[in-house]
Amino acid sequence: MEEQLMDTINVALIGQGFMGRSHSNAWGQVAKFFKPPIKPIMHTSFGQPGVDPDPAGFAANWGWKNVSTDWESVVKNPEIGLVDIVTPNYMHAPVAKAAIAAGKHVACEKPIAGTLADAREMVEAAKKANVKTFVWFNYRRCPAVALAHLLVKQGKLGEIRHVRAAYLQDWADENVPLVWRFDKNLAGSGAHGDLNAHIVDMTRFVTGLEITEIAGAIAETFIKKRRLPSAGSTGAIVSGGAGKEEWGDVTVDDTVLFLARFSNGAVASFEAARQATGNQNRNMFEINGTKGALKFDFERMNELLFYDATLPRAVQGWTNIMVTHAPDHPYIANWWPDAHIIGYEHGFVNQAYDILRVIAGQEPVVPIPDFEDAYQTQRVLEAALISARERRPVKLEEVY
Amino acid sequence: MEEQLMDTINVALIGQGFMGRSHSNAWGQVAKFFKPPIKPIMHTSFGQPGVDPDPAGFAANWGWKNVSTDWESVVKNPEIGLVDIVTPNYMHAPVAKAAIAAGKHVACEKPIAGTLADAREMVEAAKKANVKTFVWFNYRRCPAVALAHLLVKQGKLGEIRHVRAAYLQDWADENVPLVWRFDKNLAGSGAHGDLNAHIVDMTRFVTGLEITEIAGAIAETFIKKRRLPSAGSTGAIVSGGAGKEEWGDVTVDDTVLFLARFSNGAVASFEAARQATGNQNRNMFEINGTKGALKFDFERMNELLFYDATLPRAVQGWTNIMVTHAPDHPYIANWWPDAHIIGYEHGFVNQAYDILRVIAGQEPVVPIPDFEDAYQTQRVLEAALISARERRPVKLEEVY
Amino acid sequence: MEEQLMDTINVALIGQGFMGRSHSNAWGQVAKFFKPPIKPIMHTSFGQPGVDPDPAGFAANWGWKNVSTDWESVVKNPEIGLVDIVTPNYMHAPVAKAAIAAGKHVACEKPIAGTLADAREMVEAAKKANVKTFVWFNYRRCPAVALAHLLVKQGKLGEIRHVRAAYLQDWADENVPLVWRFDKNLAGSGAHGDLNAHIVDMTRFVTGLEITEIAGAIAETFIKKRRLPSAGSTGAIVSGGAGKEEWGDVTVDDTVLFLARFSNGAVASFEAARQATGNQNRNMFEINGTKGALKFDFERMNELLFYDATLPRAVQGWTNIMVTHAPDHPYIANWWPDAHIIGYEHGFVNQAYDILRVIAGQEPVVPIPDFEDAYQTQRVLEAALISARERRPVKLEEVY
Amino acid sequence: MEEQLMDTINVALIGQGFMGRSHSNAWGQVAKFFKPPIKPIMHTSFGQPGVDPDPAGFAANWGWKNVSTDWESVVKNPEIGLVDIVTPNYMHAPVAKAAIAAGKHVACEKPIAGTLADAREMVEAAKKANVKTFVWFNYRRCPAVALAHLLVKQGKLGEIRHVRAAYLQDWADENVPLVWRFDKNLAGSGAHGDLNAHIVDMTRFVTGLEITEIAGAIAETFIKKRRLPSAGSTGAIVSGGAGKEEWGDVTVDDTVLFLARFSNGAVASFEAARQATGNQNRNMFEINGTKGALKFDFERMNELLFYDATLPRAVQGWTNIMVTHAPDHPYIANWWPDAHIIGYEHGFVNQAYDILRVIAGQEPVVPIPDFEDAYQTQRVLEAALISARERRPVKLEEVY
């Protein structure tokens, strides 16, 4: 019987915040909806004392068999096959390097690291080891984004000329306290690392092109001081917070905009924002090519807009593809019938499936970024920050 | 030179209400944007004393050369070639019959008449005379609706199975006084004749099919009494109105819904409403066939939604066609560049052009209803009212 | 500790089709995302030999502790506290009645039964027993639909005048074989029981009004013969199917349309369709009242359109509410941050949560239908079928 | 009688291209739909021999009383009160300066001039003269854009933080010949002057803020050579063109993107493009403030999206305001009833009305740009070009 012959892999999850929930759910759901070649066992959940409020409760809730408050021992545990990192960004590098040193496969949340130097070290460590690495750019695995990738690959857009991408949120008004996401030491950067990371990855993924230059950039922090949060908060996206009236400096950006060039000469604009009122999670791109164009907005994640300029002109227009038809659309055969739409968490389950495929030596449904790939995204982010700070264009080749 | 060789026709406009403005504009604009085979001369404007507040002012404003308050003499005037009727519905028949008797071509606002008997007489009169007749179902000449007609004709929808149409407005709340549109003697019917008339005509036009049965219907008057309007009001759509506090009965419907069958067995629903809060002028249809489907909503009149079920499934979806590309889309070559959108009044100008083509013996861009054609629409409306009143299905063959 | 004090209830799931998956997922997810007052234990999964292809595999996949192919013994098992029925419709009544007789709480998929007589017997049985009953009208628990209910309850719509609802799908073309959904003996009805059931329930739920009369109806079967499916198929929504070339009669409707009146005089139209090309799962309603209006379409289930006619006129319009903000929107606090949208399955998890609340003696977040409530929906469906068959209006009081 | 007492002004139109049509229509329609304090008389139409194919035909078609092929004598004609300039951009300055010297009011198409130096001279000339000047940034007078301006002025957006604007077209593919719009000497610039001019003006107008710095820019010409057009073409937007096979250099940009700062620190991005496949005339902006946000897209010009962040959170969302309600929405009372939408040309008619009001000493409905105001827009455009060319940020104070 298939189930009995299935290999298994023990997974350790390092972190228990918002992403801890998303990943726990993914590891719990993947084998129910998919038939992965290797079955994940939810072995150990690490929670950080003083940060994560109830490590054992979290582990029990999500079905992790063990709980630990010592990540170093977890990543060395010989039973563990895959270390999944969902900590604040500054911890990505130490945990990942330790896990690689212990011979584990590593799946790391994005951005790959809080600093480019950290990211480079992670890439170097991975290169020397015989392990697989993955970065959770989960939006690649929205069926609509995966379809966009496939359509471009089939040549449906012709030569790409324009890319415009934005990831706009509005949660970070004056009432939000100084959680870890506003602290450069913990988060690395603000909207830029949190949001631009996604759209840089997505547009690289969908276009199949690399960004070669930042032509100009703006980084701004609109709200420069915030109340300190109450102790023990995990620092995930918090709306409000009681907070004693002590204040601290915001040391990351609220918004970063930049203009870029892709390797083929295509021009591009990117914008990340946390106070773009009216946009709660508008993770969007538009791509125009000589033969067609695409639009995506995560707030309607089951839909992809495609303009096919090769159709007879009388019936040309933006086609709103409901990307929910099996088997013609990626991933969706494992979920529900047509137009019984899926949500945010499904991208993570889809990615868990592809991670298991890759570990088993199979091809993922669509390409999945490893540390090397995520490092390219990180270089773009770094170049944009340099451009904003030094007020000049920056070529990617300067940044490594 | 083309202009000098161009024939001309003298037009008389009978009525000066809301439609009087639309038609005056159409006759004034048509030769500026189109090259009609016959040039219309705006000869005489008739205004009704006691109803139209300033007949001479209206005529001067719109560029009519003459003004009259005696329609009977106007329609007999040997200089007049085309009589255009935009009075309240009860006057359509007497004016049209007199004009026909005088050998004039006649263009009449919709619905063709206030009663089916009147309509039948108009048809009979037209049959015996050697004149051309037209009914201003202006929405046929929105480029998007005309394109819908053409796509169906090309077989893009396959066999049609479903039609759903609605024309929803919300202007008629309790504050609107008892204008002519609420008086059965003047208007014939309420939302039904005003709004369902359009969607019955449009769906007949687009599908190319006839309605053969009404399966059931509801007619309702939500607001049964209204304040009398102040004297002299033209009775066009008026929001508010000072009104002395005298009240009268509303004798027409506020809303009429009905279910119907088309000749090929397709099922259909229709709804007209004047208190459908949130819908100011939502004149819409949806048509589903075995090979494709269409959606139209006048509030976005430059757009037609087309679902092509013969495309590869991966890229199927609703294509939002911006119907503004010349020469691929009807009428639009005479207006502005791509996506420099047109509005409500343009349907009338387009129709004025087609009327002139037909009078000149040319084909219209898309078929234009004559009295006979509009009478079929009127039969459907009548059958729906019988169905609502007698609480039973009604076959069209019963109604003539 | 909260978890230890939590009561538990053993759940038995009767059926393993499409709904079997949805419910299994719901029971597995509910305690991870919510803190229900009673924790569900996934005790036993019943699969029907010859219908469900792999009862044990299904049970193992979803985490059911036991598997059975004898539902009668399952519903009598003294360990079971809640029987959840997801069989084809004809089995709802016998299983429910047996479960009630055994003193179990019962949650039944919709429609409550294949026939009105069956439904009535279920209601009677439930009345005499001291058990709680539930029907899985899952769409009530989309946050947007729940919000619609709450807004109406707060009086935001004023007096309701118009309801238009449709549930349109397009999966059932000529290539789909004769699965159980096309067999009256198994399914009770076609699109009507499958789809109209949902929109009748939703509009009753949102408006808080009862339907009192069917004014007219059409029922049609466009495709009257279909190939027999290959043996052993579960009969869930299947696109294609190898099928030997034997054909059978479709004994249910493909589409049912009807017009209705609500108790307050509001007029309504309903339509269910399985060949409405271009609509994969368009479960929608529009409601217009004197003070405001609502629109919902399940294909964008995270959004509710609200027109507030009490705002200053200059800023009136359709507001697209992204119903993903905690704590202002129902259910969503237990899922993801703002605009990290949820999908189809979440309605089921939300309902599982409310079922557990009700069993524990708590109020559900929004009202949940019991057998008595679902029976009212069934009466409406029956009245519509009578109206279609007998070609006449039908008052609800005739049908019981 | 009002009409008899009405003052008149003789208008001369210099140019007969695409804008010649738009303006001719505006002057012809304005007094029919509005009651301007001064009535425009369409006195003389200038057509350029060798460029405009039929000066007399154009004049006759649109109702100009006289035709001339000598603009210098026209602008000096003592009968003329207002000179309206719709020539290619390089002629704006000489015609405007001559008209001002002759004491005429001047209305000039945008951009104000082909070069900044020209624009400055025009401003200087106007300052010294006792004439009124106007620039046809027609989109300000779309009711939706005017409403946006008014809402911001009322404080509905709070402090503005983000502006993103784009004007995307796709007409300029490889098949379009080398018309005047591709020639720097005639057009001044490409997409930048044609399209960015509009969105710079619109965002200045709506926000009430000035741009103080360009942070970075990209200018690109994707298609560097084009076939020469056939002789005598007017050079308006031409799709195709027979063209002998001779080729010339495109000397203007196809696309210009730039990042900017407004005076209050708000960040902004702008993009103009002529090969943005799928976008025919997408002239759009988004503005996010601390209390609310706005979105506009000309392709749906009758609609304004407004997010009111001061409403109760449960009903916050993007409200799609159909800007067609009189008297609450600007300009629309003079057109048609609610949601009987207007189109592209109406912005011009609305502007003609406001020009006549200003000449009569009245306030325009919303502010109308004079040469000084349009010169500020021109400085922004110039700064962006410098930024693109010199690859550095440019402060506006550098550019004058």
Side-chain angles (χ1 to χ4, degrees), chain D residues 222-276:
Chain D
F222 290 118
I223 300 170
K224 296 182 170 60
K225 286 190 179 294
R226 291 178 181 272
R227 276 180 298 106
L228 298 185
S230 48
S233 153
T234 61
I237 296 177
V238 174
S239 171
K244 41 186 185 298
E245 281 303 313
E246 292 182 43
W247 294 70
D249 290 337
V250 174
T251 49
V252 299
D253 58 84
D254 279 335
T255 188
V256 175
L257 302 83
F258 62 95
L259 302 179
R261 288 278 197 172
F262 278 90
S263 46
N264 73 337
V267 299
S269 63
F270 293 86
E271 178 177 4
R274 287 173 168 178
Q275 287 105 3

Coordinates of all heavy atoms in Angstrom, one line a residue, chain D residues 222-276:
Chain D
F222 N 11.9 52.2 -26.7 CA 12.0 50.8 -27.1 C 12.1 50.6 -28.6 O 12.8 49.7 -29.0 CB 10.8 50.0 -26.6 CG 10.7 49.8 -25.1 CD1 9.6 50.4 -24.4 CD2 11.6 49.1 -24.4 CE1 9.5 50.2 -23.0 CE2 11.5 49.0 -23.1 CZ 10.5 49.5 -22.3
I223 N 11.4 51.4 -29.3 CA 11.4 51.3 -30.8 C 12.1 52.5 -31.3 O 11.6 53.6 -31.4 CB 10.0 51.2 -31.3 CG1 9.3 50.0 -30.7 CG2 9.9 51.1 -32.8 CD1 7.8 49.9 -30.9
K224 N 13.3 52.3 -31.8 CA 14.2 53.4 -32.1 C 14.1 53.9 -33.5 O 14.6 55.0 -33.9 CB 15.7 53.0 -31.8 CG 15.8 52.8 -30.2 CD 17.2 52.5 -29.8 CE 17.4 52.5 -28.3 NZ 16.5 51.5 -27.6
K225 N 13.6 53.1 -34.4 CA 13.4 53.5 -35.8 C 12.0 53.1 -36.2 O 11.5 52.1 -35.8 CB 14.4 52.8 -36.7 CG 15.8 53.3 -36.6 CD 16.7 52.7 -37.7 CE 18.1 53.3 -37.6 NZ 18.1 54.8 -37.9
R226 N 11.4 54.0 -37.0 CA 10.0 53.7 -37.5 C 10.0 54.1 -39.0 O 10.7 55.0 -39.5 CB 9.0 54.5 -36.8 CG 8.8 54.1 -35.3 CD 7.8 55.0 -34.6 NE 7.7 54.5 -33.2 CZ 6.8 53.6 -32.8 NH1 6.0 53.0 -33.7 NH2 6.8 53.2 -31.5
R227 N 9.1 53.5 -39.7 CA 8.8 53.8 -41.1 C 8.3 55.3 -41.2 O 7.6 55.7 -40.3 CB 7.8 52.9 -41.7 CG 8.3 51.6 -42.2 CD 7.2 50.8 -42.8 NE 6.2 50.5 -41.8 CZ 5.0 51.0 -41.8 NH1 4.6 51.9 -42.7 NH2 4.1 50.7 -40.8
L228 N 8.7 55.9 -42.3 CA 8.2 57.3 -42.5 C 6.7 57.2 -42.9 O 6.3 56.3 -43.6 CB 8.9 58.0 -43.6 CG 10.4 58.2 -43.3 CD1 11.1 59.0 -44.4 CD2 10.6 58.9 -41.9
P229 N 5.9 58.1 -42.4 CA 4.4 58.0 -42.7 C 4.2 58.6 -44.2 O 5.1 59.2 -44.7 CB 3.8 59.0 -41.7 CG 4.8 59.9 -41.3 CD 6.2 59.2 -41.5
S230 N 3.1 58.3 -44.7 CA 2.8 58.8 -46.0 C 2.6 60.3 -45.9 O 2.2 60.8 -44.9 CB 1.5 58.1 -46.6 OG 0.5 58.1 -45.6
A231 N 2.9 61.0 -47.0 CA 2.8 62.5 -47.0 C 1.4 62.9 -46.6 O 0.4 62.3 -47.0 CB 3.2 63.0 -48.3
G232 N 1.3 64.0 -46.0 CA 0.0 64.7 -45.7 C -0.7 64.2 -44.5 O -1.7 64.7 -44.1
S233 N -0.2 63.2 -43.9 CA -0.9 62.7 -42.7 C -0.8 63.8 -41.6 O 0.2 64.5 -41.5 CB -0.1 61.5 -42.1 OG -0.3 61.4 -40.7
T234 N -1.9 63.9 -40.9 CA -1.9 64.9 -39.8 C -1.1 64.6 -38.6 O -0.8 65.4 -37.8 CB -3.3 65.2 -39.3 OG1 -3.8 64.0 -38.8 CG2 -4.2 65.6 -40.4
G235 N -0.7 63.3 -38.6 CA 0.2 63.0 -37.5 C -0.6 62.7 -36.2 O 0.0 62.5 -35.1
A236 N -1.9 62.7 -36.2 CA -2.6 62.3 -35.0 C -2.4 60.8 -34.8 O -1.7 60.1 -35.6 CB -4.1 62.6 -35.2
I237 N -2.9 60.3 -33.7 CA -2.7 58.9 -33.4 C -3.2 58.0 -34.6 O -4.3 58.0 -34.9 CB -3.4 58.5 -32.1 CG1 -2.8 59.3 -31.0 CG2 -3.2 57.0 -31.9 CD1 -3.4 59.0 -29.6
V238 N -2.2 57.4 -35.2 CA -2.5 56.6 -36.4 C -2.1 55.2 -36.2 O -1.0 54.9 -35.7 CB -1.7 57.2 -37.6 CG1 -1.9 56.3 -38.8 CG2 -2.1 58.6 -37.9
S239 N -3.0 54.3 -36.5 CA -2.7 52.9 -36.3 C -2.4 52.3 -37.7 O -3.3 52.0 -38.4 CB -3.9 52.2 -35.6 OG -3.7 50.8 -35.6
G240 N -1.1 52.1 -38.0 CA -0.8 51.5 -39.3 C -0.2 52.6 -40.2 O 0.8 53.2 -39.9
G241 N -0.9 52.8 -41.3 CA -0.4 53.8 -42.3 C 0.4 53.1 -43.4 O 1.2 52.2 -43.1
A242 N 0.1 53.5 -44.6 CA 0.6 52.7 -45.7 C 2.1 52.8 -45.8 O 2.8 51.8 -45.7 CB 0.0 53.2 -47.0
G243 N 2.7 54.0 -45.8 CA 4.1 54.2 -45.7 C 5.0 53.5 -46.7 O 5.0 52.3 -46.8
K244 N 5.7 54.4 -47.5 CA 6.8 53.8 -48.3 C 7.8 53.3 -47.3 O 7.9 53.8 -46.2 CB 7.3 54.9 -49.2 CG 7.5 56.3 -48.6 CD 7.9 57.3 -49.7 CE 8.2 58.7 -49.1 NZ 7.1 59.4 -48.4
E245 N 8.7 52.4 -47.8 CA 9.6 51.8 -46.9 C 10.8 52.6 -46.6 O 12.0 52.2 -46.8 CB 10.0 50.4 -47.3 CG 8.9 49.4 -47.0 CD 8.5 49.3 -45.6 OE1 9.5 49.2 -44.7 OE2 7.3 49.3 -45.2
E246 N 10.7 53.9 -46.1 CA 11.8 54.6 -45.7 C 11.7 54.8 -44.2 O 10.6 54.9 -43.6 CB 11.8 56.0 -46.3 CG 12.1 55.9 -47.8 CD 12.1 57.3 -48.4 OE1 12.7 58.2 -47.8 OE2 11.5 57.5 -49.5
W247 N 12.8 54.8 -43.5 CA 12.8 54.8 -42.1 C 13.5 56.0 -41.5 O 14.4 56.6 -42.1 CB 13.5 53.5 -41.6 CG 12.8 52.2 -42.0 CD1 12.7 51.7 -43.2 CD2 12.1 51.4 -41.1 NE1 11.9 50.6 -43.2 CE2 11.6 50.3 -41.9 CE3 11.8 51.4 -39.7 CZ2 10.8 49.3 -41.3 CZ3 11.1 50.3 -39.2 CH2 10.6 49.3 -40.0
G248 N 13.0 56.4 -40.3 CA 13.6 57.5 -39.6 C 13.8 57.2 -38.1 O 13.2 56.2 -37.6
D249 N 14.6 58.0 -37.5 CA 14.8 57.8 -36.0 C 13.7 58.4 -35.2 O 13.3 59.5 -35.4 CB 16.1 58.5 -35.6 CG 17.4 57.8 -36.2 OD1 17.3 56.6 -36.5 OD2 18.4 58.5 -36.4
V250 N 13.4 57.6 -34.2 CA 12.5 58.2 -33.2 C 13.3 59.0 -32.2 O 14.4 58.5 -31.7 CB 11.8 57.0 -32.4 CG1 11.0 57.6 -31.2 CG2 10.9 56.2 -33.3
T251 N 13.0 60.2 -32.0 CA 13.8 61.1 -31.2 C 13.2 61.5 -29.8 O 13.6 62.4 -29.1 CB 14.2 62.4 -32.0 OG1 13.0 62.9 -32.5 CG2 15.2 62.0 -33.1
V252 N 12.1 60.8 -29.5 CA 11.5 61.0 -28.2 C 11.4 59.7 -27.5 O 11.7 58.6 -28.0 CB 10.0 61.6 -28.3 CG1 10.1 63.0 -29.0 CG2 9.1 60.6 -29.1
D253 N 11.0 59.8 -26.2 CA 10.9 58.6 -25.4 C 9.6 57.8 -25.7 O 8.6 58.4 -26.1 CB 10.8 59.0 -23.9 CG 9.7 60.0 -23.7 OD1 8.6 59.6 -23.5 OD2 9.9 61.3 -23.8
D254 N 9.6 56.5 -25.4 CA 8.4 55.7 -25.4 C 7.8 55.6 -24.0 O 6.6 55.4 -23.9 CB 8.8 54.3 -25.9 CG 8.8 54.1 -27.4 OD1 8.2 55.0 -28.1 OD2 9.5 53.2 -27.9
T255 N 8.7 55.7 -23.0 CA 8.3 55.5 -21.7 C 9.2 56.3 -20.7 O 10.4 56.4 -21.0 CB 8.3 54.0 -21.3 OG1 7.6 53.9 -20.0 CG2 9.7 53.4 -21.2
V256 N 8.6 56.9 -19.8 CA 9.3 57.6 -18.7 C 8.7 57.3 -17.4 O 7.5 57.5 -17.2 CB 9.4 59.1 -18.9 CG1 10.1 59.8 -17.8 CG2 10.1 59.5 -20.2
L257 N 9.5 56.8 -16.5 CA 9.1 56.5 -15.1 C 9.9 57.4 -14.2 O 11.1 57.6 -14.4 CB 9.4 55.1 -14.7 CG 8.8 53.9 -15.5 CD1 9.7 53.6 -16.7 CD2 8.7 52.7 -14.6
F258 N 9.3 58.0 -13.1 CA 10.1 58.7 -12.1 C 9.5 58.6 -10.8 O 8.3 58.4 -10.6 CB 10.4 60.1 -12.6 CG 9.2 61.0 -12.7 CD1 8.8 61.8 -11.7 CD2 8.5 61.1 -13.9 CE1 7.7 62.7 -11.9 CE2 7.4 61.9 -14.1 CZ 7.0 62.7 -13.1
L259 N 10.4 58.8 -9.8 CA 10.0 58.8 -8.4 C 10.1 60.3 -7.9 O 11.0 61.0 -8.3 CB 10.9 57.9 -7.5 CG 10.9 56.5 -7.9 CD1 11.9 55.7 -6.9 CD2 9.5 55.8 -7.8
A260 N 9.2 60.7 -7.0 CA 9.2 62.1 -6.6 C 8.8 62.3 -5.2 O 8.3 61.3 -4.6 CB 8.2 62.9 -7.5
R261 N 9.0 63.4 -4.7 CA 8.6 63.9 -3.4 C 7.7 65.1 -3.5 O 8.0 66.0 -4.3 CB 9.8 64.3 -2.6 CG 10.7 63.3 -2.1 CD 10.1 62.6 -0.9 NE 11.2 61.8 -0.2 CZ 11.1 61.3 1.0 NH1 9.9 61.4 1.7 NH2 12.0 60.6 1.5
F262 N 6.6 65.1 -2.8 CA 5.8 66.3 -2.7 C 6.3 67.1 -1.5 O 7.0 66.7 -0.7 CB 4.3 65.9 -2.5 CG 3.6 65.6 -3.8 CD1 3.6 64.2 -4.3 CD2 3.0 66.5 -4.6 CE1 3.0 63.9 -5.5 CE2 2.4 66.2 -5.8 CZ 2.4 64.9 -6.3
S263 N 5.8 68.4 -1.5 CA 6.3 69.3 -0.6 C 6.0 68.9 0.9 O 6.8 69.3 1.8 CB 5.5 70.7 -0.8 OG 4.2 70.5 -1.0
N264 N 5.0 68.1 1.1 CA 4.8 67.6 2.5 C 5.5 66.4 2.9 O 5.3 65.8 3.9 CB 3.3 67.4 2.7 CG 2.8 66.2 2.0 OD1 3.4 65.7 1.1 ND2 1.7 65.6 2.4
G265 N 6.4 65.9 2.0 CA 7.1 64.7 2.2 C 6.5 63.4 1.6 O 7.0 62.3 1.7
A266 N 5.3 63.6 1.1 CA 4.6 62.4 0.5 C 5.5 61.9 -0.7 O 6.2 62.6 -1.4 CB 3.3 62.8 -0.1
V267 N 5.5 60.6 -0.8 CA 6.3 59.9 -1.9 C 5.4 59.6 -3.1 O 4.2 59.4 -2.9 CB 7.0 58.7 -1.4 CG1 8.0 59.0 -0.2 CG2 6.0 57.6 -0.9
A268 N 6.0 59.6 -4.2 CA 5.2 59.4 -5.4 C 5.9 58.7 -6.5 O 7.2 58.7 -6.6 CB 4.8 60.8 -5.9
S269 N 5.2 57.9 -7.3 CA 5.8 57.4 -8.6 C 4.9 57.7 -9.7 O 3.7 57.8 -9.6 CB 5.9 55.8 -8.4 OG 4.6 55.3 -8.3
F270 N 5.5 57.9 -10.9 CA 4.8 58.3 -12.1 C 5.4 57.4 -13.2 O 6.6 57.1 -13.2 CB 5.1 59.8 -12.5 CG 4.5 60.7 -11.5 CD1 5.2 61.1 -10.3 CD2 3.2 61.3 -11.7 CE1 4.6 62.0 -9.4 CE2 2.7 62.2 -10.8 CZ 3.4 62.6 -9.7
E271 N 4.5 57.1 -14.1 CA 4.9 56.3 -15.3 C 4.0 56.6 -16.5 O 2.8 56.6 -16.4 CB 4.8 54.8 -15.0 CG 5.1 53.9 -16.2 CD 5.1 52.4 -15.9 OE1 4.7 52.1 -14.8 OE2 5.5 51.7 -16.8
A272 N 4.7 56.9 -17.6 CA 4.0 57.1 -18.9 C 4.5 56.0 -19.8 O 5.7 55.8 -19.8 CB 4.2 58.5 -19.4
A273 N 3.6 55.5 -20.6 CA 4.1 54.4 -21.5 C 3.2 54.3 -22.7 O 2.0 54.6 -22.6 CB 4.1 53.1 -20.8
R274 N 3.8 54.0 -23.8 CA 3.0 53.9 -25.1 C 3.0 52.4 -25.6 O 2.4 52.2 -26.7 CB 3.6 54.8 -26.1 CG 3.4 56.2 -25.9 CD 4.1 57.1 -26.9 NE 3.6 58.5 -26.8 CZ 4.1 59.5 -27.6 NH1 5.2 59.3 -28.4 NH2 3.7 60.7 -27.5
Q275 N 3.7 51.5 -24.9 CA 3.6 50.1 -25.3 C 3.3 49.2 -24.2 O 3.7 48.1 -24.1 CB 5.0 49.7 -25.9 CG 5.3 50.3 -27.2 CD 6.3 51.4 -27.2 OE1 6.8 51.8 -26.1 NE2 6.6 52.0 -28.3
A276 N 2.4 49.8 -23.3 CA 2.0 49.0 -22.1 C 0.8 48.1 -22.5 O -0.3 48.4 -22.1 CB 1.7 49.9 -20.9

